[in-house]
Each structure stands twice: as structure tokens, then as C-alpha cells.
Amino acid sequence: METFLGLRSWHWRATDWVAAAVSGFAAGAVLMILDLVWSTIFNPDGPWRTSHMIAPIFSGATDSLQTGDYRFSVSVVIIALLTHYVLGIVFGLVLAVILAQLRLDAELLPALVTGACVGLLLYVVNFEGLTAFFPWLAGLRGTATLAAHLVFGCVAAFLYWRLKRTATES
């Protein structure tokens, strides 16, 4: 019956979880560095604005958002970093599962295209969907943030493609 319908039996492919987590973490680091450099150069509010907009998702403290006071704060930066890196790892894991199961991790170009698509999807979810719950995130919408999410997806896909162990290496 499967042959008649043109279906192959589905075999779950192993995902290299360590490579996936490292890829998401490292891609998150690249995203953070890009944001810090971009904000330092081009954002009149300074480099800590993004941290002040991410931290209230978990801390609930929106004081700096209301006053526009985006000075460096250890607690705000720690919460923002933890949030960012945990989500980077989670998204790296999700991307790795997609790449492995759809067999897009064997060659670089399909992996990069998939990574860019995941980055685009993350941008849409983060800045179109989550703004219903966290309206201040709308202030982060824009071409620079979209580009950073595309870079995140591509870097995570590239690193997973490069770092994953094959069955013979395990």
C-alpha cells in the first residue's frame, strides 16, 4: 500500500542534541553581539534598550519602559541574557529537529534556507504575535531586527550542519 501511494516508511532520524543546543546558544550570542553593536551605533536610546524591553517579559518590571531610562542595570541585563540564551537554545533544538527529520542537514544550502525560514518565523511570532501580550515589544520591530533573526537562523543552521555527529561518529 505504501508503495502504491508513493509513501516511504518514516524513520525518525536521530538529532544531535548537544550540537543543537550549542548551535542555538552560539547563534544567540551572535544575535546579541549584532544587537549591541547596532544599538550602540544607530540607536539614540543606547545599547541597553533591547535588554530593558526583554527583561519585563519575565520580571514584569516595566518602569524603565515608561520613563525611557535605558541605563545599564545588572539585574535587567542578567534577566535579558538568561531569557535570550534559553530561548536561543530552545530554538536551536527545534531547528535541529526540523533539519534532521526533513533531511535538510546533509548539505549546507538547504540547511541555511531552512535556518532563514525559521528565523523569519521567529521574527513574526516574536514581533507580531507576542506583541498582543507584551505591547512594548512592538518598538523592536524593523528591518534590523528582522535581519538579526535571519542571521540567527542561518548561524544556528550552519553550526548544526557543521557540528552534528553522524551515526558513524557517535
Side-chain angles (χ1 to χ4, degrees):
M1 180 70 163
E2 287 179 355
T3 306
F4 177 72
L5 294 175
L7 301 174
R8 296 182 293 176
S9 59
W10 181 260
H11 296 290
W12 180 264
R13 289 187 65 215
T15 301
D16 186 338
W17 299 111
V18 173
V22 168
S23 299
F25 185 86
V30 169
L31 181 66
M32 289 290 291
I33 291 167
L34 285 175
D35 180 66
L36 193 60
V37 169
W38 184 265
S39 296
T40 300
I41 295 170
F42 297 107
N43 193 327
D45 292 322
W48 306 113
R49 176 176 175 246
T50 303
S51 294
H52 279 273
M53 295 182 102
I54 292 173
I57 294 172
F58 292 102
S59 70
T62 58
D63 304 343
S64 63
L65 298 174
Q66 295 165 357
T67 63
D69 181 17
Y70 301 121
R71 287 183 285 169
F72 177 79
S73 165
V74 172
S75 61
V76 165
V77 171
I78 288 173
I79 292 169
L81 284 173
L82 286 172
T83 301
H84 185 79
Y85 284 121
V86 167
L87 290 175
I89 291 169
V90 168
F91 296 141
L93 295 171
V94 169
L95 175 59
V97 168
I98 293 168
L99 289 171
Q101 298 317 308
L102 296 179
R103 292 161 169 63
L104 298 168
D105 59 347
E107 295 182 26
L108 181 57
L109 186 58
L112 290 176
V113 170
T114 304
C117 290
V118 168
L120 176 62
L121 181 63
L122 286 175
Y123 176 83
V124 170
V125 168
N126 288 340
F127 299 103
E128 299 301 328
L130 289 181
T131 53
F133 305 101
F134 311 109
W136 61 87
L137 289 178
L140 293 175
R141 286 182 186 147
T143 307
T145 305
L146 172 60
H149 279 72
L150 294 174
V151 168
F152 169 84
C154 288
V155 169
F158 171 77
L159 289 174
Y160 183 74
W161 171 79
R162 191 75 177 122
L163 296 174
K164 71 178 172 47
R165 292 170 290 170
T166 62
T168 58
E169 294 173 329
S170 297

